[in-house]
């Protein structure tokens, strides 16, 4: 099919559809014309997609059709229904999809972190290369502990939340590059491992874990989830399967952005724990139990709610109609 000739013949009707779809008020005649043009343009879009790969023209027509559809169908649900669907179906399904990749990221992180901790904790030469004896003493006895209590709990929790949410957003958005996620995992594993090794070298590993575990269980899991989401988008570009590469990346991007939005709330909870529980005077067992309880609730949400939604066909993506496709992407 000659695409230039096809566009030339139908461009006027497409332009008219775009105009009517964005017109503030429609008369009865306008509404009838909008419906006729919508039906015709839908057929044109199907023809374009059947004869060639996704293109700028088909994407433009899809957007116009989506706008036109809202004019004669209106909103299909209210805000509360959409919010409930997001938390009960879309978000847990998207998290469930990447559960094994999340576990893989966690294992890689733990292996690297443990390797650094063992190296620093058992090698006096490595410890001296990291810090002097005076610096080690100040870090263990003052800097590390003071970090959690030198600022008001509310402001500290807010700062931690925004910082971790930003790191997670970067992991998802820049995961398509292929190198950003490994870099984040390596940098964070190295930081945690070196800190653990310093405390282990002076015989205070228990102090380190008493401050890390209450919030770190959930916080690090959220980082693993974000890294898994970024890698999922990267893999969609590398191996799109039966879909076109652009369509595969778009589908995974929409689904993984759902994950990124959910992690904002998850990290808010871990920020509260870090700001109010970690530096508190509660017994260590109580603080660790709170952190473990938060993680257990998250895992139950993913595995129970997410598994149910996933088996029902949810993937965390938009509905096919909202995405502009005739069927839901696999």
């Amino acid at each position: 099919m000659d695409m230039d000739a096809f566009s030339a013949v139908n461009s006027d009707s497409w332009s008219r559809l775009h105009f009517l779809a964005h017109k503030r008020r429609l008369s009865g005649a306008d509404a009838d014309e909008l419906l006729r043009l919508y039906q015709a343009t839908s057929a044109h879009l199907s023809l374009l997609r059947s004869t060639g790969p996704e293109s700028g023209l088909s994407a433009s027509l899809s957007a116009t059709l989506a706008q036109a559809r809202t004019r004669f169908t209106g909103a299909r649900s209210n805000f509360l229904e959409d919010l409930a669907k997001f938390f009960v179906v879309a978000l847990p399904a998207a998290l469930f999809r990447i559960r094994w990749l999340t576990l893989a990221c966690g294992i890689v992180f733990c292996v690297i972190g443990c390797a650094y901790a063992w190296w620093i904790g058992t090698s006096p030469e490595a410890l001296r290369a990291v810090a002097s004896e005076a610096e080690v003493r100040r870090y263990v006895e003052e800097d590390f502990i003071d970090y959690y209590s030198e600022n008001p709990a509310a402001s500290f929790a807010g700062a931690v939340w925004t910082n971790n949410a930003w790191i997670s957003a970067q992991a998802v958005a820049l995961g398509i590059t292929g190198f950003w996620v490994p870099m984040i995992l390596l940098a964070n594993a190295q930081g945690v491992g070196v800190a653990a090794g310093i405390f282990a070298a002076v015989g205070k590993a228990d102090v380190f874990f008493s401050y890390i575990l209450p919030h770190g269980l959930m916080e690090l899991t959220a980082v693993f989830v974000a890294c898994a989401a970024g890698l999922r988008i990267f893999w969609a570009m590398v191996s799109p399967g039966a879909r076109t590469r652009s369509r595969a990346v778009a589908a995974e991007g929409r689904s993984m952005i759902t994950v990124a939005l959910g992690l904002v709330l998850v990290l808010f909870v871990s920020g509260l724990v870090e700001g109010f529980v970690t530096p508190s005077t509660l017994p260590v067992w109580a603080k660790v139990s709170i952190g473990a309880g938060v993680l257990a609730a998250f895992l139950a949400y993913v595995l129970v709610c997410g598994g149910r939604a996933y088996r029902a066909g949810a993937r965390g993506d938009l509905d096919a109609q909202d995405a502009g496709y005739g069927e839901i992407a696999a």
Side-chain angles (χ1 to χ4, degrees):
M1 181 175 67
D2 189 331
M3 297 297 296
D4 292 334
F6 185 74
S7 299
V9 170
N10 296 289
S11 60
D12 289 343
S13 63
W14 297 341
S15 298
R16 179 62 178 171
L17 175 63
H18 184 274
F19 171 77
L20 292 174
H22 292 82
K23 189 176 180 181
R24 182 179 296 273
R25 295 182 181 278
L26 294 176
S27 64
D30 288 339
D32 291 341
E33 184 181 8
L34 175 68
L35 182 57
R36 288 195 302 270
L37 291 174
Y38 175 85
Q39 294 171 333
T41 304
S42 295
H44 296 161
L45 180 59
S46 297
L47 181 60
L48 287 172
R49 285 176 169 164
S50 67
T51 57
E54 191 79 8
S55 64
L57 176 59
S58 59
S60 175
L61 290 180
S62 179
T64 299
L65 286 169
Q67 176 63 27
R69 185 164 55 245
T70 63
R71 298 306 304 271
F72 57 78
T73 61
R76 298 192 307 278
S77 60
N78 61 38
F79 172 75
L80 293 179
E81 290 174 341
D82 289 337
L83 193 64
K85 182 179 179 182
F86 176 82
F87 285 108
V88 177
V89 179
L91 177 58
L95 291 168
F96 186 84
R97 286 184 66 206
I98 57 175
R99 64 196 185 283
W100 296 118
L101 196 51
T102 298
L103 178 61
C105 289
I107 292 174
V108 169
F109 178 94
C110 290
V111 169
I112 296 173
C114 289
Y116 271 100
W118 179 84
W119 180 42
I120 300 297
T122 60
S123 172
E125 294 80 6
L127 180 61
R128 285 195 295 270
V130 172
S132 66
E133 184 176 343
E135 289 172 333
V136 168
R137 186 181 304 109
R138 185 173 64 250
Y139 179 73
V140 171
E141 296 177 358
E142 300 176 17
D143 295 349
F144 182 83
I145 296 173
D146 291 346
Y147 167 75
Y148 295 100
S149 57
E150 61 186 359
N151 294 307
S155 61
F156 177 64
V160 167
W161 173 38
T162 54
N163 178 69
N164 290 332
W166 173 239
I167 292 174
S168 297
Q170 289 181 68
V172 176
L174 299 178
I176 194 171
T177 63
F179 70 85
W180 197 262
V181 166
M183 185 179 72
I184 288 177
L185 282 175
L186 176 60
N188 283 274
Q190 182 183 40
V192 173
V194 169
I198 291 174
F199 273 84
V202 298
K204 293 187 176 182
D206 58 326
V207 175
F208 172 79
F209 287 109
S210 71
Y211 278 87
I212 285 294
L213 289 180
H215 65 274
L217 290 172
M218 188 66 260
E219 182 180 283
L220 289 175
T221 299
V223 172
F224 304 154
V225 170
C227 289
L231 290 176
R232 183 85 188 199
I233 298 174
F234 170 71
W235 190 247
M237 182 184 68
V238 173
S239 180
R243 299 170 293 181
T244 63
R245 182 165 281 103
S246 61
R247 185 166 179 177
V249 171
E252 291 297 343
R254 290 190 301 268
S255 181
M256 294 305 107
I257 288 299
T258 297
V259 171
L261 292 174
L263 287 180
V264 172
L265 297 179
V266 171
L267 289 168
F268 175 71
V269 175
S270 71
L272 291 178
V273 174
E274 186 168 0
F276 292 92
V277 177
T278 298
S280 72
T281 57
L282 290 172
V284 173
W285 66 265
K287 293 192 286 187
V288 175
S289 295
I290 292 173
V294 171
L295 177 61
F298 175 77
L299 294 178
Y301 174 70
V302 173
L303 298 178
V304 177
C305 295
R308 185 185 302 117
Y310 184 85
R311 288 187 291 273
R315 296 297 182 267
D317 195 0
L318 295 174
D319 293 338
Q321 185 173 342
D322 291 332
Y325 299 133
E327 72 279 356
I328 297 177

